[in-house]
Amino acid sequence: MKKILVLEDENAIRSFVVINLRRSGYEPIEASTGEEALKLLEENDDICVALLDVMLPDTDGFEVCRHIRASGSRMGIIMLTALSQEMDKVTGLMTGADDYVTKPFSPAELLARVDALYRRVRGVMDGDEDDIVSGPFVLSPRNRTLDKNGERVRLTQTEYSIIKLFMENPGRALSREEILENVWGPEYKGDLKIVDVNIRRLRMKVEDTATMPEYITTIWGYGYKWGS
Ligand code: CA
């Protein structure tokens, strides 16, 4: 999931940002106070990028940024600053923000920054991830490999990305749209059938009996699930 925290106390701006992020395949998590934001960050340790407004009712965005960095997180942080807060850009970058966007901003401007940062952070955070173990499988994000009962399963990069998405969301029904968006990217405008084709191939590689799948199960009319 491409989770992004959106901390902004002005409802109009927050909705505008959220709508545009969602349209681009992100999953925005909304907060309107610093306290709420920190709580949501604790509950969602898979948030990759945070957009932090500077002027907030209970604290300021820099304080939130400081908190995030103090916890050791390497997530991407973009400050949303007002034009009158030129100095804040410097402060923001000093407290550990990666980038800033000055209000008012266009959706295109914001998304370009978010996309770029997301890609960067994703690369770094992936390198840090621990192995994921599920039944006879061990997935190593560091080496981008999958083992089954100690034996290497040879996967394409696409198959690897799909299996990783599954193993990160065990027992959760994933729609074909969601899989397409996560693995092929939000810009991809191809047919959903590409998902089914890859799943079929994956099953031949990971299932004991491909025609009776027990790891990648089908949710009829919806998508797939890791585990039963
Ligand atoms: Ca504000």
Side-chain angles (χ1 to χ4, degrees):
M1 304 299 102
K2 298 167 76 174
K3 282 191 191 171
I4 293 199
L5 178 81
V6 181
L7 169 57
E8 166 67 66
D9 60 316
E10 274 169 73
N11 291 336
I13 299 179
R14 197 176 62 248
S15 322
F16 162 82
V17 169
V18 162
I19 287 166
N20 282 287
L21 285 173
R22 212 168 268 148
R23 224 176 255 157
S24 294
Y26 290 99
E27 188 186 333
I29 312 271
E30 300 179 53
S32 55
T33 65
E35 195 187 342
E36 201 184 335
L38 291 174
K39 188 166 157 276
L40 287 168
L41 283 166
E42 227 167 81
E43 290 166 5
N44 297 272
D45 61 359
D46 50 349
I47 289 177
C48 268
V49 171
L51 305 182
L52 308 178
D53 179 31
V54 174
M55 301 283 281
L56 297 162
D58 60 337
T59 178
D60 67 59
F62 301 132
E63 210 41 58
V64 177
C65 179
R66 243 179 243 121
H67 257 93
I68 295 173
R69 290 298 183 232
S71 75
S73 169
R74 296 162 79 177
M75 78 174 58
I77 298 178
I78 298 178
M79 305 302 301
L80 306 178
T81 70
L83 213 52
S84 58
Q85 297 162 338
E86 284 296 304
M87 272 305 291
D88 291 350
K89 289 175 187 171
V90 183
T91 317
L93 298 175
M94 295 279 287
T95 53
D98 297 285
D99 204 352
Y100 59 85
V101 178
T102 307
K103 296 177 190 174
F105 45 79
S106 69
E109 190 186 349
L110 179 69
L111 285 167
R113 303 291 189 84
V114 170
D115 286 342
L117 184 57
Y118 182 84
R119 271 195 301 273
R120 232 152 56 213
V121 171
R122 199 53 200 245
V124 173
M125 288 176 93
D126 263 5
D128 272 357
E129 282 175 60
D130 291 323
D131 290 357
I132 306 174
V133 180
S134 174
F137 298 98
V138 179
L139 181 127
S140 163
R142 215 165 286 125
N143 306 316
R144 293 180 75 83
T145 54
L146 177 76
D147 289 354
K148 181 182 180 187
N149 294 318
E151 280 188 35
R152 184 63 37 90
V153 181
R154 292 178 59 91
L155 301 175
T156 64
Q157 291 298 327
T158 299
E159 290 163 354
Y160 166 82
S161 300
I162 295 173
I163 207 89
K164 179 160 183 277
L165 179 66
F166 277 133
M167 289 178 74
E168 285 172 339
N169 297 278
R172 189 162 96 74
L174 297 167
S175 71
R176 296 151 84 221
E177 287 84 355
E178 216 174 336
I179 297 170
L180 189 75
E181 208 167 71
N182 267 279
V183 175
W184 280 264
E187 302 86 2
Y188 188 82
K189 295 285 173 274
D191 198 307
L192 276 173
K193 283 205 177 69
I194 187 95
V195 174
D196 303 317
V197 172
N198 273 276
I199 297 283
R200 212 173 316 153
R201 233 178 23 223
L202 252 178
R203 276 176 171 159
M204 311 228 292
K205 297 184 179 185
V206 304
E207 299 288 350
D208 299 339
T209 311
T211 48
M212 289 188 292
E214 49 172 320
Y215 302 113
I216 304 174
T217 48
T218 301
I219 313 290
W220 292 107
Y222 185 74
Y224 301 94
K225 191 171 76 168
W226 182 250
S228 47

